[in-house]
Each structure stands twice: as structure tokens, then as C-alpha cells.
Amino acid sequence: MATRTPTPEQRAVIEAPHGSFTVVASAGAGKTFVLVERYLRHVVEDGLRPDQILTITFTKKAAAEMKQRIVSGLRAKGRYEDAQIAETGPIQTIHSFCERVLRENALEAGLDPQFEILADQQATRMVADAIREALASDLVDEPDAPELIRHLAGSFGGGFPQGTPYSRLEDDIKKLLHELRSGATSWESLREIYGSHTLLRAKWEDGIRRALPTNVRGAFDEQEGSDLGERIQRACKAVGVGIPAWARGRTVSDAEADSVVHTCGLVQLACAAWWRLDREMVKHQALDFAALEIRADRLLARSEVTRSRLSRQYEVVMVDESQDVNPIQYRLLDNLGGQHTMMVGDSQQSIYGFRQADVRLFQSRAESKETRRLSKNWRSDPGILNFVDLVFSRLWTSDYRPMNLNTGPMDFDSDDKPTFEGVEIWRQPAADWPLTSQRIQGLITEGVLKRDIAVLVRDGRAAVAMQQSLDQAGIPSRIAGGSEQFYTRLEVRDLANTLRCLADPYDDFSLLATLRSPMASLSLDAVVMLALKSPVVEALADLESPVDGDREKIDQFLKWYVPLRAIADRLSAWEVLSRVFAESDYLTALGRRDSSDQTLANARKLLSLASQEPELGPLEFAEQIQEIQNLRHKEGDAPADDENADLVKIMTIHKAKGLEFPVVVVPQTDKKISRPPGDVVVDPAEGLVAVKLSKEAGLVHRFLAEQKKRHEEDEERRILYVALTRAQKRLCINLMASATGTTPSKILDGVLDLGQMPGLVVRD
């Protein structure tokens, strides 16, 4: 294994004395190298066994990479026994750690040691079932829920998602469960607080009070009166500071009263669904990831025996990507009570707010604990580093930590001017996927290898649009990690229809869809003729189609369909699919289609998913697919090619985090940096919820909406930072026209002066 010499910054972290401290690591600063080297030092110099070092990462891929490096490092040092222990030791994701703790302490946790981990689609269905059951109950324990429902029904005008107040409630409760279950407040506590208007008002006031600046908070405490908004206004005037936008104006008492009732009602329903969800998980001894965290946290909080044992077991705790910790994970790690804890992270790369990651937790720890820094980016060429440093020193001003070790502003008048070589700005009047594809073709024509190019987009929809455009330009590409549209793929819907018509031959629609699909490839003329002869299954044998070849196709279809439908209701879904693949020409037909590698991979993935639920028959599995489509559950396509194939990579910026590429293309800089807050706003860390169903928003809703907007704007800038810092040799950025166009680059608008950046290439 090649020897790498640590830099002075890296060595200071690797050789730091024992104790608890925080490492703030910039993008490309070598934090994984430092984590591995410190781990090896603990084993080789400090005499610790690998099973005494708990190492937490936040993705399975990162855990696997770190384990591989540690094991290789131990073997290189001749520590073969330690390497063997490390291979099965606690180098894992936070969820794997929670699972391990619960299985090892199952009796105290109230679980069967053999409990199951729910797949995403199973967890999604279980959450939906719990919500529906809560809404169908008599609501005797939810005093404000009936008024909430009456208000929604009375104001219904057809504008709700999916068209009903009921679906509106389902969506809002699902949002609350998603956010609150990752927070630090239990459903029992939430139910108590939101079961009382008085307690809720006190909770709201406390949350706002703690968010006020220290000098305003002191003046606020001196104010009297029941109107929270007026007290904030008087406090701000007393200390001579501006009144926050959300606290300005007159408080509308009716809006405040409605917000209290509606918020209590919605949270009461969410707690009822949460209780039912917990009950079902215990009944089936199956947990989703949120339940893993909750139960592990509860176990450590309540069991001194477990805490003591874990404290003795793990001499050292090392946590990577600490900026991505959510409130309950943070409390769980705190409860381990380790005396030697190193938490590594970068608040500038905190981009998982949608998973309730709370960057404030890491920032607070960095301020309160001993902190060491890894500042220098060793990944990107100097021109790219200068560009990123310039952009973000202007966006974040004094809060930004430069990556090239320069502490002052760039001097464009000096003899040693900064260069921006390696950075290209691709001007365009608006978002234009074909134009982006054309410019990527230009890179390839210059000699850039396709596999060296990564196009980093904001979401799955953009990934699909980019791939379609590249396909039209004749540029082979792959969406890394899938497009998250698996359950809506035509091949998946075709197979669901096949399962339906095998389980129920008199389901005319499913049978006609199957006959038209590659399962039989019947002509449209024949399908229309059959549709007029219901039941279709009884008309198949005698159909005389005007299209040549149809009769032969029907006979071939019936040859395998008739025997299989006779026994399909006695087989599991995966057995039926296996027989279909083996006895029909379906896979062969797929192989003759465009993008055959991907469609074949998806067909086989559906078989794999069916095999994970052997208790489901063909009809139940087909209905499950339909339900998942309705719930808009995200599932990536199956991998269909070699990761090292000469293809342009397309991936979301979130999936690119932690990776690096020779050439990076960032096509979307026109995305809005914040979204409308919606009627339900939540702060999971504080357990704060406010609902706006009236025309006027209450004070707390405005406060939380403003907090949400600020957090989203901050995170969008961090997402851009992550995207730009993936590039090693070349960085290409689409810049929409901001001076004359109507779709400016929202984040970069006003930041760049392209005429004053030597070495920068601008393509119009």
C-alpha cells in the first residue's frame, strides 16, 4: 500500500491527545485519510482492539470504503489479527449501530432479537395504513381534531391535493410524522403539549423567546401582556433593534386562535397515527429506520446498565459527516458517554435538511468543544479553488472558510493575480438541456473521456431530462444511483398487469395490457377487437385478426398462460414471475428494445423485490405495486452496466457528496433558493409546529416560515458549494442571463464579475 505523508494540519488531528474534540474539515481536505490514520494509531500505538473503536458513517458505501482502508492499513502493518477483527467490527452506519445495540439488548428494549428491518416500500405502506386508521377512528381522544376536520370540509373548494380534504389531512400528517419522528420529542410529550391550548401557547412563546437575540430576549422578559407580537415589538424598540419581518404589523386574534386549534388538532391526529404505527411495528417485530433510532435512543436514555456496558465496550467513538446528524441521532451519540470522541464534519457541506439533519447541532459543538481544522482542499486544481473561494467569500462573507489557506481577500491588482483556469461559464438564456448536451459533446470532441464527466443535477426529474437529451445527442450516459422512478417504469407496470391477469383471468384491462406489452406484442387492431368481446379471456382462442402474425402470437401466449393461470393463485408472486420469465418470450422481447440493458435489469429487480416478500401472492403483489405508485414512493432503477464503462455520469448533487470527478458540469443554477412554506411548518429539533388554514397567518406560523426560508436558502448555497467542490480538473457551470434575461441564476446572480477573472473561459 502506497505511503502518504500527512500535512501539518492532518498530522495535528491524527496525533491529537486523547479526549473529546471536533474536527472541521473542508471539502477535499483528506478527512477520510485522517480518520483512518487516527484509527490505526489507536490500534498500533495505543493498544486498542478494533472492537473497542466505534466508527460511525452515514452511508453504507462510506462505511464499506472506510472498513476496506482500515483493514488494508492494518494488514500493511502486519496486524493480521486486528484486521480480521476490524472486518466484522463496529465500522458502520448510524442505523446499523442502532440495530446492533437493539439486538444485543433486545430484552431491555422490549424486542425480539430477530426483529426485521422494514424495506422502504414496506415502511411507506405501514405509515399510510396508520394514518388511515387514525383518521377512521372515533377521535374521542383528539379533542381538537373534529374542529380541524369540520374546518377543512367547510372550506373545501376542490383545490386540495388529489381532490379531497381527507387526502389533505393524509399528506399533512405524513409530513408531520416524517419530520417529528427524527426530532428529539416523543409522541407522548407532543400529545401532552398539543393536547392543551395553554401548553401549546407556552411552548410557542418559549421557542420564539429562545430564538431572539440575547439583548432582545432580556427586554422581552420585562414586557407584560398576553399579545406575543406586541411584546416582541416593544422589546425590539427598547433595545433599539429592528423588528423582525415576521413580528411586524398587527396581530390578528382570530388567526391566532384558529392556528392554536388547528395545530392542536393536526398534531393530535399525527400522534394518534404515530401510536398506531408503533403498535404495528411491535406487533410484527419490524422497524423502519426512524423507529430504530427512537428505540435505541430510548434504550440508552432509560437503561443505565446498557449505557455503562457500551461506555466500557467503546473506548473511542469516531463520527464522520457529523454535520448530517439529526436531533435524535445526536442525542443518541451523546448518551454513549464516551470520554474519547472525535466528531468530524463541515457545516459548509450540510445538505440533508430533508432528512432533518440539523447543522446547528454541529456548529454548537464546534463552538463549545476543542476544535481542530482541516482547511486545505487537495482535490481541486488551483483555478477551481480560487473560483469557489471567490464565490463563497462573497455569498457567506466572514463566515466562509477558504480552502487554499489564504486568509485575506483576493487581490486582483497585485502582480500575483489569482487565476481561474479550469473553470468554464456556459452562458445560456434559460434552462436548455439540448444546449448543455451540445456543450458536453464539445468536451468529448476536445478529448475528454466520457467516463470522466459527471453532470450534477438537483433531482431525479432533472436527471431523466438530462439523460434523454444526451441520448438524443448520441452521447451514452448513466444515471448513477437510479432515477427514482422504478415503480412507474413501463416494464414494471407490464409485469404487474401480467400478475393480475394470471390471478384473475377476467380482469379485461390487465389482460389486454399484457397482450399489448412485450409479453405477447399483439397488434393494436387485435387489442381493439378483443376489447369489444368481453370477457377477453374467452374470446382469445377464436380471434381472427386482420394483422399477419397475431394468431401465432396469441397461440404462443396461450401456450404458457393457460397452464400458469390454473395454478397462479396457489403460488407466491416471485414464483409466478420466475415461471413467466422462464416460459414466455418476455425477456427476449425486452432484449430487442432500445435501452434493453436497463429494462432487463428492472424486470429482474422486480423479481428480486418479490422474492423478499414470499408471503404475497401475485394479486397482492400487483396491488402493492399500484399502491406504491399512488404513494409516489421513490425507488431507483436497477444497475444496468459497469460503473467503469465509458459513459457520462448523471447524478444528483446529494448523491455526489463525498465523491470527486475530473470534470464536473453543473447545469442548474436557476433553481429557486426557497419554496413557499405551506400551511404546515415544523421545527423538528424544537418540536414546534404551526398550522395556517385561515386567510391570515398567525405569528408563530410566520416565525417558523421565516426560519424555514432562511434554512432553505442557506442549504441551497451549501448544495452549490458541494457541487462545485466535486471537480478536480475542470468545472463547467451553466449561467443563465441575469442582466437581460428573465431566468437569472438565482444563487450566482450578482456574485461574479466575469471580465475580472483571468483564465476563466466563457462560452456564449
Side-chain angles (χ1 to χ4, degrees), residues 52 300 304-317 335-340:
Q52 293 177 296
L300 292 186
E304 175 63 33
V305 172
T306 304
R307 285 200 308 275
S308 297
R309 186 181 66 77
L310 289 174
S311 182
R312 293 192 303 272
Q313 180 177 349
Y314 300 123
E315 290 281 333
V316 171
V317 178
N335 279 335
L336 287 175
Q339 297 299 309
H340 309 298

Side-chain angles (χ1 to χ4, degrees), residues 254-547:
D254 287 346
E256 295 293 335
D258 286 346
S259 185
V260 169
V261 173
H262 298 156
T263 301
C264 283
L266 187 62
V267 178
Q268 288 163 17
L269 287 170
C271 289
W274 191 343
W275 172 78
R276 287 169 171 81
L277 180 62
D278 277 359
R279 180 194 64 191
E280 287 303 298
M281 288 185 178
V282 171
K283 176 181 175 182
H284 295 287
Q285 289 294 295
L287 307 178
D288 66 358
F289 287 148
L292 275 176
E293 294 172 2
I294 291 167
R295 288 191 163 269
D297 172 65
R298 187 174 298 178
L299 173 65
L300 292 186
R302 294 179 178 178
S303 173
E304 175 63 33
V305 172
T306 304
R307 285 200 308 275
S308 297
R309 186 181 66 77
L310 289 174
S311 182
R312 293 192 303 272
Q313 180 177 349
Y314 300 123
E315 290 281 333
V316 171
V317 178
M318 305 169 73
V319 184
D320 192 13
E321 303 290 4
S322 299
Q323 78 280 348
D324 293 329
V325 176
N326 70 35
I328 199 165
Q329 292 169 348
Y330 197 88
R331 189 170 65 190
L332 171 68
L333 293 169
D334 251 6
N335 279 335
L336 287 175
Q339 297 299 309
H340 309 298
T341 301
M342 182 175 77
M343 298 188 79
V344 184
D346 179 10
S347 57
Q348 295 178 169
Q349 296 187 73
S350 178
I351 62 172
Y352 287 100
F354 65 92
R355 294 181 186 170
Q356 282 62 64
D358 191 338
V359 69
R360 294 171 296 182
L361 300 171
F362 179 74
Q363 290 169 334
S364 176
R365 181 182 176 90
E367 291 170 3
S368 62
K369 295 279 186 182
E370 178 188 351
T371 300
R372 298 176 182 274
R373 295 192 179 277
L374 298 174
S375 304
K376 173 65 176 173
N377 179 315
W378 302 98
R379 169 188 298 150
S380 305
D381 281 356
I384 295 173
L385 278 184
N386 285 335
F387 179 82
V388 177
D389 278 350
L390 176 66
V391 166
F392 286 94
S393 64
R394 292 177 175 176
L395 284 175
W396 287 332
T397 61
S398 60
D399 291 333
Y400 178 64
R401 299 188 304 275
M403 295 181 292
N404 59 6
L405 298 183
N406 291 332
T407 55
M410 294 184 185
D411 186 357
F412 290 92
D413 296 323
S414 69
D415 293 334
D416 187 20
K417 293 181 181 179
T419 178
F420 299 92
E421 291 180 3
V423 180
E424 295 184 10
I425 298 296
W426 295 351
R427 288 186 192 266
Q428 55 188 59
D432 188 333
W433 298 113
L435 181 55
T436 302
S437 298
Q438 180 182 330
R439 284 170 168 160
I440 290 173
Q441 180 61 65
L443 294 176
I444 297 168
T445 302
E446 288 178 27
V448 176
L449 296 175
K450 291 185 283 291
R451 64 171 170 266
D452 285 345
I453 301 172
V455 185
L456 305 186
V457 296
R458 288 293 285 108
D459 52 39
R461 183 177 299 179
V464 172
M466 185 75 256
Q467 185 175 50
Q468 290 172 345
S469 180
L470 289 171
D471 285 346
Q472 291 168 2
I475 303 171
S477 64
R478 177 183 72 245
I479 298 177
S483 64
E484 298 185 338
Q485 296 185 355
F486 174 78
Y487 285 107
T488 64
R489 293 297 188 192
L490 187 58
E491 57 271 20
V492 173
R493 286 181 285 163
D494 286 343
L495 289 168
N497 285 324
T498 302
L499 291 172
R500 284 182 180 277
C501 72
L502 282 165
D504 179 8
Y506 289 90
D507 182 340
D508 284 353
F509 176 84
S510 295
L511 182 53
L512 288 169
T514 299
L515 290 166
R516 179 63 179 154
S517 78
M519 204 66 69
S521 300
L522 211 57
S523 71
L524 185 59
D525 290 341
V527 169
V528 172
M529 291 176 65
L530 284 169
L532 300 174
K533 298 177 180 292
S534 182
V536 173
V537 69
E538 295 180 6
L540 268 176
D542 301 322
L543 179 72
E544 295 182 5
S545 171
V547 178

Side-chain angles (χ1 to χ4, degrees), residues 149-178:
I149 294 170
R150 280 194 294 271
H151 178 87
L152 283 174
S155 61
F156 173 55
F160 293 116
Q162 302 180 24
T164 69
Y166 181 87
S167 62
R168 165 74 168 275
L169 275 174
E170 280 190 324
D171 288 345
D172 286 346
I173 294 170
K174 181 180 177 183
K175 170 185 171 71
L176 280 182
L177 289 178
H178 174 67

